[in-house]
Amino acid sequence: MSEQYEYVPHRLLRRRVRDIASGVEGVLMAVVNENVSDTGTERWMELAYIRDRSNREFTTAVANVVPAYDPPHTRDTSPSRG
């Protein structure tokens, strides 16, 4: 039997991301190619480990990970009164 997991490089590691499946945002801590099978047949899947604001980590399919952008700050464009 081969290793149960291997780390995979990803362009968003240590950056703020959003899981599109749940809508939860956090920091991408790792991407792991992991054998997720509980039977004798191997089934490999790339999982993203994301740490949310409460410091809990959860996994999602790496295809669900997108960059999280802060919403643009609204600027008051009304004329100054002075």
Side-chain angles (χ1 to χ4, degrees), residues 2-82:
S2 62
E3 286 291 323
Q4 294 295 313
Y5 63 91
E6 64 181 345
Y7 288 95
V8 177
H10 194 280
R11 66 184 179 86
L12 296 174
L13 278 175
R14 304 281 183 216
R15 300 205 177 204
R16 207 160 141 245
V17 297
R18 183 169 50 90
D19 170 25
I20 60 172
S22 67
V24 176
E25 293 186 5
V27 176
L28 181 61
M29 303 305 293
V31 174
V32 177
N33 191 24
E34 194 168 329
N35 181 4
V36 295
S37 175
D38 58 356
T39 65
T41 306
E42 292 184 359
R43 181 169 172 253
W44 292 85
M45 183 175 180
E46 285 191 355
L47 296 176
Y49 284 76
I50 299 172
R51 183 174 293 165
D52 67 13
R53 289 178 12 172
S54 66
N55 283 326
R56 291 188 179 174
E57 286 190 17
F58 66 95
T59 60
T60 189
V62 76
N64 291 339
V65 176
V66 296
Y69 297 108
D70 289 327
H73 296 283
T74 55
R75 203 174 83 196
D76 184 10
T77 57
S78 60
S80 303
R81 296 178 195 242

